[in-house]
PDB file of all heavy atoms in Angstrom:
ATOM      1  N   ILE A 576     -15.967   9.688  -9.470  1.00 93.00           N
ATOM      2  CA  ILE A 576     -16.104  11.124  -9.366  1.00 93.00           C
ATOM      3  C   ILE A 576     -16.528  11.558  -7.927  1.00 93.00           C
ATOM      4  O   ILE A 576     -15.996  12.513  -7.327  1.00 93.00           O
ATOM      5  CB  ILE A 576     -17.147  11.562 -10.371  1.00 93.00           C
ATOM      6  CG1 ILE A 576     -16.580  11.508 -11.773  1.00 93.00           C
ATOM      7  CG2 ILE A 576     -17.629  12.968  -9.998  1.00 93.00           C
ATOM      8  CD1 ILE A 576     -17.540  11.693 -12.872  1.00 93.00           C
ATOM      9  N   TRP A 577     -17.457  10.738  -7.371  1.00 94.00           N
ATOM     10  CA  TRP A 577     -17.914  11.096  -6.019  1.00 94.00           C
ATOM     11  C   TRP A 577     -16.831  10.880  -4.943  1.00 94.00           C
ATOM     12  O   TRP A 577     -16.642  11.765  -4.123  1.00 94.00           O
ATOM     13  CB  TRP A 577     -19.081  10.182  -5.698  1.00 94.00           C
ATOM     14  CG  TRP A 577     -20.393  10.710  -6.120  1.00 94.00           C
ATOM     15  CD1 TRP A 577     -21.084  10.382  -7.297  1.00 94.00           C
ATOM     16  CD2 TRP A 577     -21.177  11.717  -5.485  1.00 94.00           C
ATOM     17  NE1 TRP A 577     -22.237  11.073  -7.409  1.00 94.00           N
ATOM     18  CE2 TRP A 577     -22.341  11.907  -6.319  1.00 94.00           C
ATOM     19  CE3 TRP A 577     -21.088  12.476  -4.303  1.00 94.00           C
ATOM     20  CZ2 TRP A 577     -23.379  12.845  -6.026  1.00 94.00           C
ATOM     21  CZ3 TRP A 577     -22.103  13.402  -4.033  1.00 94.00           C
ATOM     22  CH2 TRP A 577     -23.214  13.598  -4.859  1.00 94.00           C
ATOM     23  N   VAL A 578     -16.040   9.877  -5.184  1.00 95.00           N
ATOM     24  CA  VAL A 578     -14.935   9.621  -4.188  1.00 95.00           C
ATOM     25  C   VAL A 578     -13.962  10.812  -4.233  1.00 95.00           C
ATOM     26  O   VAL A 578     -13.581  11.354  -3.267  1.00 95.00           O
ATOM     27  CB  VAL A 578     -14.210   8.284  -4.480  1.00 95.00           C
ATOM     28  CG1 VAL A 578     -12.948   8.226  -3.634  1.00 95.00           C
ATOM     29  CG2 VAL A 578     -15.132   7.148  -4.181  1.00 95.00           C
ATOM     30  N   LEU A 579     -13.611  11.209  -5.486  1.00 96.00           N
ATOM     31  CA  LEU A 579     -12.650  12.324  -5.635  1.00 96.00           C
ATOM     32  C   LEU A 579     -13.176  13.621  -5.014  1.00 96.00           C
ATOM     33  O   LEU A 579     -12.500  14.358  -4.277  1.00 96.00           O
ATOM     34  CB  LEU A 579     -12.326  12.550  -7.107  1.00 96.00           C
ATOM     35  CG  LEU A 579     -11.393  11.509  -7.745  1.00 96.00           C
ATOM     36  CD1 LEU A 579     -11.255  11.691  -9.241  1.00 96.00           C
ATOM     37  CD2 LEU A 579     -10.003  11.474  -7.062  1.00 96.00           C
ATOM     38  N   LEU A 580     -14.490  13.922  -5.375  1.00 96.00           N
ATOM     39  CA  LEU A 580     -15.120  15.122  -4.800  1.00 96.00           C
ATOM     40  C   LEU A 580     -15.129  15.116  -3.340  1.00 96.00           C
ATOM     41  O   LEU A 580     -14.869  16.136  -2.640  1.00 96.00           O
ATOM     42  CB  LEU A 580     -16.464  15.300  -5.406  1.00 96.00           C
ATOM     43  CG  LEU A 580     -16.561  15.887  -6.781  1.00 96.00           C
ATOM     44  CD1 LEU A 580     -17.960  15.767  -7.282  1.00 96.00           C
ATOM     45  CD2 LEU A 580     -16.062  17.259  -6.852  1.00 96.00           C
ATOM     46  N   LEU A 581     -15.496  13.938  -2.773  1.00 95.00           N
ATOM     47  CA  LEU A 581     -15.483  13.797  -1.338  1.00 95.00           C
ATOM     48  C   LEU A 581     -14.145  14.046  -0.703  1.00 95.00           C
ATOM     49  O   LEU A 581     -14.044  14.723   0.365  1.00 95.00           O
ATOM     50  CB  LEU A 581     -16.034  12.406  -0.966  1.00 95.00           C
ATOM     51  CG  LEU A 581     -16.995  12.377   0.229  1.00 95.00           C
ATOM     52  CD1 LEU A 581     -18.266  13.115  -0.105  1.00 95.00           C
ATOM     53  CD2 LEU A 581     -17.340  10.917   0.540  1.00 95.00           C
ATOM     54  N   ALA A 582     -13.083  13.532  -1.396  1.00 95.00           N
ATOM     55  CA  ALA A 582     -11.726  13.740  -0.884  1.00 95.00           C
ATOM     56  C   ALA A 582     -11.333  15.226  -0.849  1.00 95.00           C
ATOM     57  O   ALA A 582     -10.867  15.715   0.087  1.00 95.00           O
ATOM     58  CB  ALA A 582     -10.739  12.948  -1.735  1.00 95.00           C
ATOM     59  N   PHE A 583     -11.719  15.929  -1.947  1.00 95.00           N
ATOM     60  CA  PHE A 583     -11.429  17.325  -2.005  1.00 95.00           C
ATOM     61  C   PHE A 583     -12.200  18.121  -0.868  1.00 95.00           C
ATOM     62  O   PHE A 583     -11.645  18.894  -0.149  1.00 95.00           O
ATOM     63  CB  PHE A 583     -11.986  17.935  -3.276  1.00 95.00           C
ATOM     64  CG  PHE A 583     -10.970  17.863  -4.456  1.00 95.00           C
ATOM     65  CD1 PHE A 583     -11.250  17.230  -5.645  1.00 95.00           C
ATOM     66  CD2 PHE A 583      -9.717  18.494  -4.389  1.00 95.00           C
ATOM     67  CE1 PHE A 583     -10.365  17.155  -6.627  1.00 95.00           C
ATOM     68  CE2 PHE A 583      -8.804  18.448  -5.406  1.00 95.00           C
ATOM     69  CZ  PHE A 583      -9.110  17.791  -6.517  1.00 95.00           C
ATOM     70  N   THR A 584     -13.478  17.765  -0.643  1.00 96.00           N
ATOM     71  CA  THR A 584     -14.277  18.400   0.334  1.00 96.00           C
ATOM     72  C   THR A 584     -13.735  18.165   1.740  1.00 96.00           C
ATOM     73  O   THR A 584     -13.600  19.113   2.536  1.00 96.00           O
ATOM     74  CB  THR A 584     -15.721  18.047   0.181  1.00 96.00           C
ATOM     75  OG1 THR A 584     -16.057  18.123  -1.173  1.00 96.00           O
ATOM     76  CG2 THR A 584     -16.562  18.873   1.022  1.00 96.00           C
ATOM     77  N   LEU A 585     -13.460  16.883   2.006  1.00 95.00           N
ATOM     78  CA  LEU A 585     -13.002  16.567   3.324  1.00 95.00           C
ATOM     79  C   LEU A 585     -11.692  17.215   3.626  1.00 95.00           C
ATOM     80  O   LEU A 585     -11.369  17.615   4.787  1.00 95.00           O
ATOM     81  CB  LEU A 585     -12.940  15.008   3.488  1.00 95.00           C
ATOM     82  CG  LEU A 585     -14.298  14.349   3.562  1.00 95.00           C
ATOM     83  CD1 LEU A 585     -14.088  12.844   3.667  1.00 95.00           C
ATOM     84  CD2 LEU A 585     -15.141  14.875   4.688  1.00 95.00           C
ATOM     85  N   SER A 586     -10.800  17.309   2.601  1.00 94.00           N
ATOM     86  CA  SER A 586      -9.498  17.912   2.864  1.00 94.00           C
ATOM     87  C   SER A 586      -9.649  19.332   3.312  1.00 94.00           C
ATOM     88  O   SER A 586      -8.845  19.843   4.064  1.00 94.00           O
ATOM     89  CB  SER A 586      -8.695  17.869   1.556  1.00 94.00           C
ATOM     90  OG  SER A 586      -8.958  18.990   0.687  1.00 94.00           O
ATOM     91  N   CYS A 587     -10.741  20.014   2.932  1.00 93.00           N
ATOM     92  CA  CYS A 587     -10.939  21.370   3.412  1.00 93.00           C
ATOM     93  C   CYS A 587     -11.675  21.403   4.746  1.00 93.00           C
ATOM     94  O   CYS A 587     -11.508  22.361   5.545  1.00 93.00           O
ATOM     95  CB  CYS A 587     -11.741  22.153   2.375  1.00 93.00           C
ATOM     96  SG  CYS A 587     -10.865  22.477   0.834  1.00 93.00           S
ATOM     97  N   LEU A 588     -12.464  20.426   4.980  1.00 93.00           N
ATOM     98  CA  LEU A 588     -13.250  20.362   6.171  1.00 93.00           C
ATOM     99  C   LEU A 588     -12.576  19.804   7.408  1.00 93.00           C
ATOM    100  O   LEU A 588     -12.604  20.504   8.463  1.00 93.00           O
ATOM    101  CB  LEU A 588     -14.578  19.564   5.903  1.00 93.00           C
ATOM    102  CG  LEU A 588     -15.763  19.753   6.844  1.00 93.00           C
ATOM    103  CD1 LEU A 588     -16.198  21.114   6.820  1.00 93.00           C
ATOM    104  CD2 LEU A 588     -16.857  18.764   6.414  1.00 93.00           C
ATOM    105  N   ILE A 589     -11.881  18.768   7.174  1.00 92.00           N
ATOM    106  CA  ILE A 589     -11.307  18.103   8.448  1.00 92.00           C
ATOM    107  C   ILE A 589     -10.284  18.918   9.211  1.00 92.00           C
ATOM    108  O   ILE A 589     -10.424  19.013  10.438  1.00 92.00           O
ATOM    109  CB  ILE A 589     -10.664  16.709   7.992  1.00 92.00           C
ATOM    110  CG1 ILE A 589     -11.712  15.755   7.636  1.00 92.00           C
ATOM    111  CG2 ILE A 589      -9.776  16.204   9.108  1.00 92.00           C
ATOM    112  CD1 ILE A 589     -11.309  14.398   7.202  1.00 92.00           C
ATOM    113  N   PRO A 590      -9.368  19.686   8.543  1.00 91.00           N
ATOM    114  CA  PRO A 590      -8.499  20.474   9.326  1.00 91.00           C
ATOM    115  C   PRO A 590      -9.209  21.523  10.252  1.00 91.00           C
ATOM    116  O   PRO A 590      -8.841  21.751  11.358  1.00 91.00           O
ATOM    117  CB  PRO A 590      -7.632  21.244   8.304  1.00 91.00           C
ATOM    118  CG  PRO A 590      -7.691  20.359   7.111  1.00 91.00           C
ATOM    119  CD  PRO A 590      -9.084  19.710   7.080  1.00 91.00           C
TER     120      PRO A 590
END
Side-chain angles (χ1 to χ4, degrees):
Chain A
I576 287 168
W577 275 96
V578 169
L579 287 175
L580 280 172
L581 219 62
F583 273 122
T584 310
L585 289 179
S586 83
C587 291
L588 197 58
I589 288 177

